Amino acid sequence: MMNFEQTESQQMIANMVRDFAERHVRPHVMEWDESQIFPRELFKQMGQMGLMGILVPENYGGSGLGYFEYMTAIIEMSKVCGSVGLSMAAHNSLCTGHILYFGNEEQKQKWLPKLATGEWIGAWGLTEANTGSDAMRMQCVAKRDGDEWVLNGSKNWITHGISGEVAVVLARTGELLDSNGISAFVVERGTPGFRGGKKENKLGMRASETAELIFEDCRIPAANLLGKEGEGFKQAMKILEGGRISIASLSLGIAKGAYEASTKYAKERHQFGQPISNFQGISFKLADMATRIEAAELLTLQAADRKNKGLSVNKEGAFAKYYASEVAVWAATEAVQIFGGYGYTKDFPVEKFYRDSKLCTIGEGTSEIQKLVIARSILK
């Protein structure tokens, strides 16, 4: 029995995040976007509010909440700024989530309190320059040497690759193409041989930092291995499964932001002596947007509900991520059209939704990979 009525805690979080975003994010959105500024201090503030460890139990300094609350927070933040929503999602579900799900007690005590409070920002490294969807061919390697592991290689497109104080890194510890030949490690910033590389100059999500991680004979203690040697790839797939709910929520926030801006504009903008919302061409666009956003939200709520119950979200997460991300791109495109010439300028918010939305169909598993997951699931 799925009940999607907003709970009191969801309403409280929605109001809190909305208020915070209006005061601390909206005034700076375009400045951060234009100059590609990653607002590090903002995330410390968010940490103090419990937004950097939403799913982390309270005994590790987190908020101890579930996936409905997590969804709500990302949606509300992303309505105002996709970049901040993306960074919040990547920090919570990838780096922090990986340590939470697969770390031992000692590792959780060591890293989760710093991450959950926003004192530290987390990065997560799977993708490389030549291995995106094809993660099994990764070239970043880790070799055991006594009580240490030695890492060599690089990771690309990593959120917080330069600013993150800690990274969970997937590296090859076995043979190429062996799904049991990849392990997960925690690497702290400041470790000799570990540095951030080139920062990407992006179409959208420009205030969310995306950069390389570079490892040159980087030695880390054997105690930094997450789970057992060879379990990294399977762990990463599990983390991405939950991460699909994050990206679906991010997509929903962008779509809703575009829709709300369009509705408001259509009521205020007059042509031929009346508001353009009176014209069927515009009102039908809004009707389509509302319908598809509702459908995307229901798919995402279904996945969040299953995740809360500890059930598999392999198919449901892919449904939500695939559909919501494509809806975000489509809704943002329609929003620009409704705004007309103004939609093409940076004085109105929809051109940024348009640019930010595209990443949702690419990051954390492309739309094509989601279709692959869905197809396998329905055909098996």
Side-chain angles (χ1 to χ4, degrees):
M1 172 52 197
M2 294 184 273
N3 173 18
F4 297 150
E5 285 302 306
Q6 265 212 339
T7 61
E8 206 174 322
S9 73
Q10 278 172 275
Q11 280 165 348
M12 269 170 55
I13 283 169
N15 292 336
M16 174 180 87
V17 176
R18 207 175 289 143
D19 181 54
F20 178 84
E22 285 300 332
R23 280 190 310 173
H24 301 287
V25 181
R26 195 179 295 279
H28 310 288
V29 165
M30 289 317 287
E31 168 205 345
W32 292 341
D33 181 76
E34 299 270 287
S35 309
Q36 299 205 78
I37 294 163
F38 174 60
R40 179 66 185 90
E41 282 310 303
L42 181 82
F43 291 91
K44 285 198 170 132
Q45 286 176 277
M46 285 160 60
Q48 286 158 9
M49 293 166 63
L51 295 175
M52 299 305 273
I54 298 175
L55 302 162
V56 175
E58 290 176 33
N59 55 322
Y60 301 118
S63 300
L65 296 166
Y67 269 80
F68 286 146
E69 290 82 6
Y70 179 46
M71 249 186 91
T72 303
I74 293 177
I75 288 171
E76 289 301 332
M77 190 62 81
S78 309
K79 276 188 195 176
V80 176
C81 181
S83 294
V84 177
L86 173 64
S87 275
M88 179 176 150
H91 170 93
N92 270 285
S93 79
L94 299 181
C95 179
T96 308
H98 202 136
I99 296 168
L100 175 64
Y101 287 115
F102 297 107
N104 58 35
E105 192 50 40
E106 204 177 321
Q107 290 168 330
K108 290 184 197 177
Q109 296 284 2
K110 182 172 181 183
W111 289 300
L112 288 178
K114 289 194 172 86
L115 287 163
T117 55
E119 182 191 335
W120 280 16
I121 285 257
W124 191 77
L126 175 65
T127 305
E128 298 179 6
N130 296 310
T131 60
S133 301
D134 183 12
M136 299 261 275
R137 287 180 203 269
M138 68 172 60
Q139 300 297 314
C140 185
V141 292
K143 296 231 180 336
R144 184 77 191 241
D145 182 17
D147 285 339
E148 294 181 313
W149 285 93
V150 185
L151 268 67
N152 277 292
S154 62
K155 295 287 174 182
N156 279 57
W157 317 112
I158 308 306
T159 305
H160 314 138
I162 293 165
S163 299
E165 282 85 358
V166 63
V168 172
V169 180
L170 284 298
R172 203 149 53 75
T173 49
E175 293 305 307
L176 198 65
L177 296 179
D178 177 7
S179 64
N180 296 311
I182 291 168
S183 306
F185 302 91
V186 181
V187 190
E188 291 188 17
R189 190 71 61 183
T191 306
F194 170 40
R195 61 187 169 90
K198 170 179 170 256
K199 178 174 168 173
E200 302 296 343
N201 183 5
K202 309 195 301 281
L203 167 74
M205 300 292 193
R206 288 169 59 84
S208 178
E209 176 188 281
T210 305
E212 289 177 301
L213 299 177
I214 299 169
F215 305 95
E216 292 161 326
D217 292 327
C218 173
R219 289 179 171 271
I220 55 168
N224 287 25
L225 173 72
L226 287 168
K228 294 191 182 70
E229 183 182 336
E231 290 181 347
F233 186 74
K234 291 181 175 124
Q235 292 176 4
M237 293 305 108
K238 275 288 197 231
I239 292 301
L240 286 171
E241 220 175 79
R244 289 174 195 151
I245 297 171
S246 306
I247 304 298
S249 305
L250 173 66
S251 305
L252 272 169
I254 290 170
K256 286 182 174 209
Y259 166 71
E260 287 172 13
S262 300
T263 307
K264 184 170 177 288
Y265 180 80
K267 289 174 176 171
E268 291 167 0
R269 166 81 168 164
H270 282 65
Q271 290 290 280
F272 306 101
Q274 54 185 310
I276 62 169
S277 58
N278 283 3
F279 299 110
Q280 200 177 64
I282 301 294
S283 66
F284 277 18
K285 280 188 190 303
L286 296 171
D288 276 337
M289 284 163 105
T291 306
R292 291 191 203 180
I293 289 168
E294 189 82 4
E297 186 154 30
L298 286 168
L299 283 173
T300 311
L301 285 164
Q302 171 181 256
D305 183 57
R306 288 182 65 88
K307 191 78 181 155
N308 280 342
K309 290 173 177 161
L311 301 169
S312 163
V313 293
N314 185 43
K315 179 179 70 174
E316 291 77 9
F319 276 162
K321 197 275 187 192
Y322 167 48
Y323 189 70
S325 65
E326 295 290 346
V327 165
V329 173
W330 172 84
T333 307
E334 290 290 75
V336 172
Q337 195 68 19
I338 290 168
F339 274 77
Y342 291 114
Y344 207 67
T345 71
K346 292 187 183 289
D347 300 330
F348 288 81
V350 290
E351 69 82 36
K352 184 174 179 294
F353 288 128
Y354 183 73
R355 289 182 292 107
D356 287 350
S357 66
K358 192 58 204 157
L359 184 272
C360 300
T361 68
I362 299 169
E364 286 190 42
T366 60
S367 289
E368 289 69 25
I369 286 287
Q370 305 310 321
K371 288 193 221 184
L372 196 68
V373 170
I374 294 163
R376 277 181 189 160
S377 177
I378 60 179
L379 292 171
K380 74 161 181 246

